[in-house]
Amino acid sequence: MSTSSEWPLAGLRVIDLSSEIAGPYCAKILVDAGADVIKVESPDEGDPLRRWTASGAAIAEGEDGALFQHLNASKRSVTADLESDGGRSLVLDLAATCDLTIESFAPGTMERLGLSLETLQERNPALSLVSISPWGGSGPWANRPATEFTLQAATGATDHRGLSGRVPVGAGGRIGEWIAGTYGAVGAVTAWLSARNTGRGQHVDLSMFEAMLLSMTYYLDLGSQWREGLLHRGIEVPSIEPAKDGWVGFCTVTGQQWKDFCVLIEQPEIGADDRYLDGTVRTESIELLHGVIHAWTRERTVEEIVELANLLRIPAVPVGDGQRLPQMDQFQERGVFLDGPGGFLRPRPTGLLEKTPARPFGPAPKLGEHNGEVEAELASAQPLVTAGEGGTALPLTGLRVVELSTFWAGPIAGCYLADMGADVIKVESIQRPDGMRFAGAIPTDRMWEWSAVFAGVNVGKRDVTLQLDGEEGMALIKQLIENADVVIENYSARVVENFGLGWDVVHEINPRAIMMRMPAFGLDGPWRDRAGFAMTVEQVSGLAWITGYEDIPLVVRGACDPVSGMHAVFALMMALEHRRRTGEGQLVEASLVESALNVACEQVIEYSAYGEILTRTENRGPYAAPQGIYPCAGDDAYLTLAVVTDEQWQGLRTVLGDPEWARDPSLKTAAGRRAAHDDIDVRLAEWCARYDRDETVEKMITAGVPANALVNGHRVWPNPQLEARDFFHFMEHPVTGETRYPGQPMSFSAFPRQLHPSPPPTLGQNNDEVLSKELGLSEEEITGLRERKVIGERPTFM
């Protein structure tokens, strides 16, 4: 086993009882940082992912699927029948020597197997258990049948995506499982750090549904509290548009970007019409706008369009797929895709740490390859003893963070740090507040306090305004940095350097500080200075390529921001581990695009290993058949279902009344059902159209079939599962009043469920407090700064 004392998690030992994607990706993130992960599998077939390819490509006898190899590289494998005394004893013996256990069984399984956290902690009180399940381990829906596809429907994300007159579409690529794995890794390290303080481990109960709700809906429930009515279905205009030689992706988040886009396509008069500043109006006018947009884009190549758009600072990228991505100059120059054991390309782990070496990919283990090795280690192993170093259960208490980030990815990282005890000071200016304050905001006198996404990702922080392009503001931010542990920023690469706050300056001010930079495309390479948002990254990374209709790809909408934010938090925690051992600060780069490439990695892996280009198939997918969205009786009432197993197919037949067509012997297997998917879809649509949606869903659930109503994003609440798990935090905001804010998607048994220390701050809310108490300014000095508009509480342009 390759080890290195320089890897940040060297010495951390993990038991991985999980399978498929979410749990193994959680463990992969840990192993890539140096942890010793022991994968425990059934002696019969092991992790089902060993036999998986999304394209259906054949796997040679004795080989494992490429995605399995990627997710389980550098791990060790032992086999154990957990239903037997011997298998249970092996896990308990491992627990005595390990820090973490990861599992993805159905809720209640660990207790039934005699492997509850309490039992594991009898061997090792400091061990923590990370459980990943569709709905979470508690609540009335804990054991409700679900797949990642049906969970998307429950979040409101699917209902919001689609063209008028066509069925809504879910996101492709099992993205929710990757989201859950990312949050799981952050939760695992959080629990481990807490146990190091207290000597006691805990249970991290992660709900995939809650993780997807946070990551795939841009806080639609929060917005529903301020806007009446249902959320309209549609797509962004512009978004992914046809060029002469392929597809090109645009993103116009701000009003200025829209106006500049209209100049780009030689239609300035449309940009001058302020009605179109409203994205909803553009969606309603989609036929008109697509006509003029496509007349321009179809006459030019993708390369020409991207170059022209970026000259105007309009985010624009080529739309990537598994074949094209490794050929793109940005990723080639930065060495993003690596060859490794197995002979196929895969993305490097996200998060580049200046002073902390990355662990090279090791081979994935064969089933039970390390049985003898691990048994020999256990025979001579001493139980792990963690006495606790002292400190609070919240592991980041006392950490001081200066956050210069805007929009979503950087702020959600800061939000998690605040929930875990850090003091996060968000720095804006009244000349240029965080642009997310205005995205989708309610048009009131203080509209900058009425943005749902801003509110959702900035809870728990303090807020100051400093004019950073002036000498006084720059001097004050440097004083804040002098006493900070962490500086976070997510502008384009050139912005903070132009301000005079590049890494060299920050390091000179405070050698112990860690600076986390989160540009869209990285700090070097030919795309370094390009602007990019979450949708830009979805377009280029391949996530959009496998989402949408067969004739048009669609964006996922926002998922890359929170996923990148959590990857960044993990990288930051690794830098803090390095500083703990060495005292050194360092630069951490966590680009949006490399997080997205890791989540979308199956496309490059599948093409590199098997020569197959994965693409979108509307609402079908390689994991379940039938899988789809079907209209029920009533106006715009859809249900989703996904049949994964033969038992679930039998349950669906029962709900349907076991009609003759469903008794066809060829439909008894997944392969047969996939071959007959067109016919099954027609018959299911005809049958569902006769019945009430909610009653039909409950019948399917009772029969063990994963199904869910297609929920509108403004009707996620009330929800009995979210209510039972205390997912939402009700807090009084000085402008919006009592507001329902989403919490973290995992409950920690050693922490309060209601973790947010405060509602999101108003603009400049903590100016006087921070400037007087932290920096020692007098009341007169603060008044002078306000008069000179170095600080303030209202945007200068409002």
Side-chain angles (χ1 to χ4, degrees):
M1 180 182 60
S2 173
T3 61
S4 170
S5 60
E6 294 181 297
W7 297 334
L9 294 185
L12 182 76
R13 285 172 56 87
V14 182
I15 307 168
D16 182 7
L17 300 173
S18 67
S19 60
E20 298 287 350
I21 291 175
Y25 186 55
C26 167
K28 170 185 160 46
I29 295 173
L30 302 177
V31 82
D32 287 341
D36 176 16
V37 175
I38 300 171
K39 187 175 181 70
V40 181
E41 302 180 76
S42 161
D44 298 327
E45 296 183 355
D47 186 338
L49 208 65
R50 286 183 180 272
R51 309 305 303 163
W52 164 268
T53 61
S55 64
I59 300 173
E61 188 67 31
E63 297 296 323
D64 294 310
L67 183 62
F68 173 88
Q69 294 183 56
H70 173 65
L71 286 173
N72 294 282
S74 306
K75 300 178 186 177
R76 299 192 283 170
S77 171
V78 298
T79 54
D81 178 3
L82 300 186
E83 299 285 351
S84 71
D85 291 341
R88 177 177 178 274
S89 294
L90 174 65
V91 174
L92 291 175
D93 289 345
L94 284 170
T97 69
C98 290
D99 304 276
L100 294 166
T101 299
I102 301 167
E103 63 93 6
S104 58
F105 298 121
T109 301
M110 292 289 282
E111 289 78 5
R112 181 183 62 78
L113 294 172
L115 296 173
S116 66
L117 177 62
E118 292 73 16
T119 304
L120 296 173
Q121 286 186 336
E122 289 175 5
R123 299 292 187 95
N124 177 4
L127 182 136
S128 291
L129 174 65
V130 179
S131 298
I132 302 175
S133 61
W135 301 101
S138 61
W141 290 5
N143 286 291
R144 185 181 177 94
T147 69
E148 187 271 346
F149 180 77
T150 64
L151 289 176
Q152 286 190 39
T155 67
T158 304
D159 185 69
H160 188 37
R161 185 187 304 108
L163 290 165
S164 176
R166 300 176 72 170
V167 68
V169 284
R174 298 168 68 174
I175 185 174
E177 297 177 51
W178 296 90
I179 291 169
T182 307
Y183 271 100
V186 173
V189 172
T190 300
W192 171 62
L193 294 174
S194 178
R196 190 166 68 190
N197 284 349
T198 66
R200 190 77 184 175
Q202 59 178 304
H203 188 199
V204 182
D205 176 12
L206 191 148
S207 160
M208 190 184 303
F209 171 52
E210 292 170 16
M212 293 165 67
L213 193 60
L214 271 183
S215 304
M216 298 181 71
T217 68
Y218 57 90
Y219 297 86
L220 298 179
D221 176 75
L222 227 165
S224 75
Q225 300 169 61
W226 305 334
R227 293 184 183 273
E228 295 183 358
L230 297 174
L231 187 70
H232 295 293
R233 186 176 305 131
I235 67 172
E236 288 72 21
V237 180
S239 183
I240 298 174
E241 313 299 347
K244 182 186 291 186
D245 59 346
W247 296 94
V248 61
F250 296 102
C251 182
T252 54
V253 172
T254 69
Q256 189 60 53
Q257 287 168 345
W258 163 250
K259 289 177 177 289
D260 291 340
F261 174 78
C262 291
V263 172
L264 173 73
I265 62 169
E266 302 169 12
Q267 297 289 335
E269 65 282 2
I270 294 179
D273 188 337
D274 285 349
R275 291 178 303 161
Y276 293 122
L277 291 173
D278 186 335
T280 303
V281 175
R282 298 205 293 267
T283 300
E284 292 170 351
S285 307
I286 190 169
E287 290 189 16
L288 168 67
L289 294 176
H290 270 179
V292 296
I293 292 170
H294 295 171
W296 188 86
T297 59
R298 289 184 187 275
E299 294 300 313
R300 292 160 178 84
T301 66
V302 171
E303 184 177 0
E304 290 171 337
I305 294 169
V306 169
E307 182 177 354
L308 290 169
N310 279 284
L311 287 174
L312 294 174
R313 302 295 296 161
I314 303 165
V317 287
V319 174
D321 63 29
Q323 180 182 17
R324 293 185 180 93
L325 279 165
Q327 301 169 5
M328 293 183 181
D329 55 353
Q330 176 71 4
F331 307 137
Q332 287 188 340
E333 184 166 320
R334 284 172 54 83
V336 171
F337 292 101
L338 305 176
D339 259 322
F344 55 85
L345 290 175
R346 80 283 301 272
R348 66 187 177 187
T350 187
L352 303 179
L353 280 67
E354 176 192 35
K355 297 180 178 178
T356 307
R359 180 180 190 167
F361 290 131
K366 296 298 183 182
L367 181 63
E369 178 181 344
H370 300 95
N371 282 343
E373 178 179 298
V374 171
E375 288 172 8
E377 289 175 2
L378 291 176
S380 59
Q382 296 296 315
L384 188 66
V385 177
T386 304
E389 299 177 356
T392 63
L394 286 175
L396 301 184
T397 299
L399 192 76
R400 296 171 62 86
V401 180
V402 174
E403 185 197 296
L404 296 167
S405 62
T406 62
F407 287 92
W408 194 345
I412 200 171
C415 174
Y416 187 86
L417 301 178
D419 279 357
M420 295 304 135
D423 177 16
V424 180
I425 298 177
K426 183 179 181 69
V427 181
E428 307 179 71
S429 72
I430 55 175
Q431 291 78 17
R432 292 185 63 182
D434 183 343
M436 192 58 87
R437 285 186 176 274
F438 299 90
I442 306 298
T444 68
D445 179 58
R446 297 182 68 181
M447 66 179 297
W448 58 92
E449 308 296 356
W450 289 90
S451 163
V453 178
F454 179 90
V457 299
N458 286 288
V459 286
K461 303 173 187 177
R462 298 193 284 169
D463 190 286
V464 299
T465 51
L466 295 172
Q467 185 181 12
L468 296 185
D469 58 357
E471 291 184 5
E472 290 180 293
M474 181 56 64
L476 292 170
I477 188 68
K478 288 181 176 179
Q479 288 183 54
L480 284 176
I481 291 172
E482 283 179 11
N483 297 309
D485 297 289
V486 176
V487 178
I488 302 175
E489 70 87 15
N490 69 334
Y491 295 104
S492 298
R494 64 181 183 174
V495 172
V496 292
E497 293 162 3
N498 290 346
F499 275 140
L501 279 178
W503 165 237
D504 55 340
V505 175
V506 170
H507 187 59
E508 183 179 355
I509 295 170
N510 182 351
R512 282 180 51 82
I514 296 165
M515 186 174 191
M516 185 164 74
R517 303 193 61 184
M518 302 173 63
F521 300 111
L523 294 175
D524 55 20
W527 298 9
R528 173 186 186 272
D529 292 322
R530 291 185 182 179
F533 293 87
M535 289 178 284
T536 316
V537 170
E538 290 168 12
Q539 291 161 351
V540 75
S541 67
L543 288 171
W545 179 256
I546 53 171
T547 297
Y549 305 105
E550 292 189 10
D551 59 335
I552 179 172
L554 301 177
V555 294
V556 177
R557 283 200 176 116
C560 289
D561 270 331
V563 167
S564 297
M566 290 303 104
H567 278 110
V569 168
F570 184 88
L572 173 61
M573 288 176 163
M574 298 305 98
L576 289 169
E577 280 302 292
H578 176 88
R579 191 181 73 171
R580 180 176 180 268
R581 291 199 292 262
T582 67
E584 297 177 319
Q586 66 175 305
L587 175 65
V588 177
E589 180 198 315
S591 68
L592 266 69
V593 75
E594 292 199 37
S595 292
L597 291 172
N598 270 269
V599 169
C601 67
E602 188 169 22
Q603 294 182 64
V604 169
I605 290 171
E606 197 83 8
Y607 182 77
S608 177
Y610 308 115
E612 298 285 349
I613 299 178
L614 301 181
T615 188
R616 58 206 168 275
T617 52
E618 202 165 284
N619 287 310
R620 296 181 186 178
Y623 186 64
Q627 174 179 288
I629 298 176
Y630 305 96
C632 298
D635 183 31
D636 202 43
Y638 291 92
L639 66 78
T640 63
L641 66 85
V643 172
V644 179
T645 68
D646 296 341
E647 292 77 16
Q648 291 169 358
W649 172 248
Q650 185 60 50
L652 181 59
R653 283 175 54 181
T654 301
V655 174
L656 297 173
D658 203 19
E660 182 179 354
W661 68 266
R663 297 197 296 269
D664 186 327
S666 68
L667 302 182
K668 289 183 178 181
T669 67
R673 294 190 293 274
R674 191 172 304 285
H677 214 310
D678 287 346
D679 183 59
I680 294 174
D681 274 351
V682 170
R683 295 182 183 277
L684 286 176
E686 291 174 349
W687 185 88
C688 289
R690 303 200 301 267
Y691 297 100
D692 177 79
R693 178 192 66 185
D694 294 342
E695 291 178 2
T696 303
V697 166
E698 288 309 310
K699 288 179 181 178
M700 290 180 177
I701 292 296
T702 301
V705 180
N708 210 89
L710 199 64
V711 177
N712 185 276
H714 280 181
R715 295 295 182 266
V716 170
W717 181 264
N719 178 289
Q721 181 67 6
L722 296 174
E723 186 173 3
R725 287 177 55 82
D726 288 329
F727 175 66
F728 287 110
H729 300 201
F730 292 81
M731 293 185 286
E732 188 72 23
H733 186 273
V735 176
T736 65
E738 185 178 72
T739 306
R740 185 172 64 245
Y741 300 95
Q744 297 298 341
M746 55 281 214
S747 63
F748 294 87
S749 60
F751 308 160
R753 179 60 166 147
Q754 307 285 323
L755 280 169
H756 295 329
S758 60
T762 59
L763 183 65
Q765 178 175 333
N766 307 101
N767 280 337
D768 291 55
E769 171 192 346
V770 170
L771 294 177
S772 62
K773 295 181 180 179
E774 305 287 334
L775 302 186
L777 272 64
S778 68
E779 184 176 337
E780 291 75 18
E781 288 173 313
I782 294 171
T783 299
L785 290 171
R786 190 169 278 115
E787 290 173 350
R788 294 188 295 278
K789 299 191 184 303
V790 177
I791 66 171
E793 291 73 35
R794 185 181 182 90
T796 55
F797 50 84
M798 296 297 293

